[in-house]
Amino acid sequence: MTETLALPTDDTDPFGPEALEDPAELHATLREAGPVVYLTRYGVYAVARYKHVRAALVDWQDFQSAAGVGLSNFRYERPWRAPSLLLEADPPHHDAPRRVLSGILGPRALRRLREQWFAVADELVGRVLAEPEFDAVPALAEAFPLRVFPDAVGIGREGRENLLPYGDFAFNAFGPGNDLVNRAAPDVPRLSRWVDRQCAREALAADGFGARIWAAADRGDITPDQAPLVVRSLLTAGVDTTVHGLAAVLYAFATNPGQWQRLRERPALTRAAFDEAVRWQSPVQTFFRTATTDTRIGGTTIPGGGKILMFLGAANRDPRRWDRPDEFDLDRDPSGQVGFGMGLHQCVGQHVARLEAEALLTALAHRVTRFELTGPPRRHHNNTLRAWESLPMRARVA
Ligand code: OVM
């Protein structure tokens, strides 16, 4: 006889203010309870151990994205906007847009931006460090991506203040319709109209990521009606993610001055430092999948159409996979962390994010000997992002 263990359940709201403020306790509870835990509040299946999160991420056949990667199940509910051709699609439809964007955002294609982004970072850091104290969220984590990324996409100057609120809403919209979603809802039609207008060929500069997406349509690599939606993916996923990734690494160094010293001694650690910060903070905390058909995870059968909530942040601190998981440590090898996902849908913009981090950290390492928090850091709550509102800091300069 096959032994069947009762499926553990949990009634915590992972999108409630307590869990968003500090998810560590919930993560530990879910990891300890078993490979799969039924979340009674939303009727979804939580996966928090590294092994099973990773397995779900790479198994796109059994865990589809086309029914949405948020709580909403597109089999039964109408999404708030036309689904993303990348994020909310499965093979074969997913593949042509993915191939096009992978080329445009790949390491080879980014080489032309490197020198300029390092110069912009240097100039920005020089200006910020002229003040003895600053808030690293607006002054660095927001300012740097907003200086380089919209220009790289090739959108106009007007309305760029819409980018962060739009991204914040898109990441909130993967969760339940709670206060975070409802408070922003009145602005969404206006924000969406603005974003959609930026995706048109005429709105985009001749030499940016956006124009390259349209050029791919001209070549027939994607269709002309796909091009604006691929541009929209850049504008949705490319700003808030990097802002909070950079905030994570700045927070990591402000609270681990010995690690900053190590980085300054060995600049080659810069790239691993960003990956370790992404592991440690997991700026993207969660994504859902939908069971394509009845599918087993660690002895539990997920019914076809059931939603699986993958806790990337919990997997990235699973003690079964990581030694001293709660420590930010440049000596560890962070590769294998799932903060960028894994498999077919793994973050297509990760090379852009890494380049931004390398430029900013390099500029800071040239001047700053030590960061110190000067007040309490404050979180910004979002249904998907582990985000920051404020990181008040002082930087000691060489
Ligand atoms: C998209 C997209 C991709 C990744 C994350 C994301 C809002 C959106 O293709 O629009 O979050």
Side-chain angles (χ1 to χ4, degrees):
M1 228 177 85
T2 323
E3 204 181 346
T4 44
L5 297 170
L7 175 61
T9 65
D10 194 295
D11 63 4
T12 310
D13 182 359
F15 305 102
E18 293 82 13
L20 294 183
E21 184 64 25
D22 184 0
E25 189 185 320
L26 172 64
H27 288 177
T29 302
L30 294 175
R31 280 190 309 251
E32 291 316 306
V36 181
V37 183
Y38 188 71
L39 299 182
T40 55
R41 200 164 167 121
Y42 298 112
V44 303
Y45 299 83
V47 179
R49 293 184 186 172
Y50 178 85
K51 178 182 166 187
H52 300 98
V53 167
R54 189 188 159 110
L57 283 168
V58 300
D59 184 358
W60 56 267
Q61 294 94 332
D62 289 326
F63 302 108
Q64 60 166 207
S65 291
V69 297
L71 176 62
S72 172
N73 191 326
F74 296 176
R75 293 188 191 184
Y76 316 116
E77 284 184 298
R78 191 185 149 85
W80 69 280
R81 59 174 197 172
S84 163
L85 300 182
L86 290 124
L87 183 73
E88 295 156 333
D90 299 310
H93 313 287
H94 161 271
D95 301 338
R98 172 74 191 206
R99 208 170 310 117
V100 164
L101 206 50
S102 300
I104 292 168
L105 304 180
R108 292 174 58 87
L110 295 186
R111 270 188 233 150
R112 71 186 178 93
L113 294 171
R114 188 179 175 87
E115 216 179 311
Q116 202 211 335
W117 285 16
F118 273 61
V120 172
D122 222 53
E123 188 265 329
L124 174 67
V125 164
R127 213 150 29 80
V128 169
L129 294 184
E131 303 292 329
E133 292 182 15
F134 53 90
D135 188 332
V137 174
L140 294 172
E142 292 181 353
F144 186 59
L146 287 173
R147 279 285 295 277
V148 294
F149 187 73
D151 282 347
V153 175
I155 64 169
R157 305 236 154 246
E158 204 79 20
R160 290 182 177 192
E161 69 280 0
N162 293 322
L163 286 167
L164 286 171
Y166 182 81
D168 191 54
F169 181 82
F171 280 99
N172 273 327
F174 294 124
N178 57 16
D179 285 354
L180 293 170
V181 170
N182 293 328
R183 271 204 299 268
D187 290 332
V188 171
R190 182 181 56 80
L191 295 170
S192 289
R193 269 195 305 276
W194 179 82
V195 165
D196 291 347
R197 277 204 306 276
Q198 311 313 308
C199 298
R201 187 200 289 265
E202 308 74 51
L204 293 157
D207 62 346
F209 299 147
R212 280 156 209 244
I213 290 167
W214 278 100
D218 293 339
R219 287 194 303 273
D221 295 345
I222 52 173
T223 65
D225 53 298
Q226 289 180 312
L229 280 173
V230 177
V231 179
R232 193 194 66 179
S233 284
L234 292 182
L235 299 180
T236 310
V239 189
D240 300 66
T241 47
T242 52
V243 166
H244 297 296
L246 294 174
V249 78
L250 294 169
Y251 173 71
F253 284 121
T255 51
N256 294 273
Q259 299 292 318
W260 182 247
Q261 216 168 326
R262 284 217 63 213
L263 179 85
R264 295 193 75 216
E265 286 158 10
R266 284 193 55 199
L269 288 172
T270 307
R271 293 208 146 223
F274 183 60
D275 253 50
E276 170 64 353
V278 171
R279 180 198 69 80
W280 187 60
Q281 288 292 306
S282 301
V284 176
Q285 285 277 301
T286 46
F287 267 128
F288 290 81
R289 291 290 188 266
T290 308
T292 310
T293 57
D294 291 5
T295 304
R296 286 177 85 76
I297 301 178
T300 299
T301 299
I302 315 292
K307 280 277 174 177
I308 298 108
L309 176 51
M310 306 178 296
F311 285 83
L312 310 178
N316 276 341
R317 290 184 181 218
D318 184 351
R320 296 162 190 78
R321 170 64 180 77
W322 310 96
D323 292 330
R324 295 166 291 101
D326 297 329
E327 290 176 27
F328 172 76
D329 181 4
L330 297 185
D331 280 327
R332 90 165 78 238
D333 176 5
S335 60
Q337 60 95 0
V338 292
F340 289 118
M342 195 60 75
L344 200 69
H345 289 282
Q346 191 180 43
C347 179
V348 74
Q350 60 183 287
H351 307 288
V352 180
R354 290 208 176 91
L355 185 60
E356 287 182 24
E358 200 185 349
L360 188 61
L361 290 175
T362 301
L364 289 166
H366 285 155
R367 295 183 169 86
V368 176
T369 56
R370 187 183 172 92
F371 297 101
E372 287 158 7
L373 291 176
T374 55
R378 272 189 297 119
R379 290 284 177 183
H380 170 79
H381 290 191
N382 180 284
N383 285 333
T384 302
L385 299 170
R386 186 116 177 91
W388 293 101
E389 192 69 48
S390 175
L391 289 168
M393 281 190 198
R394 172 166 42 235
R396 303 210 174 266
V397 178

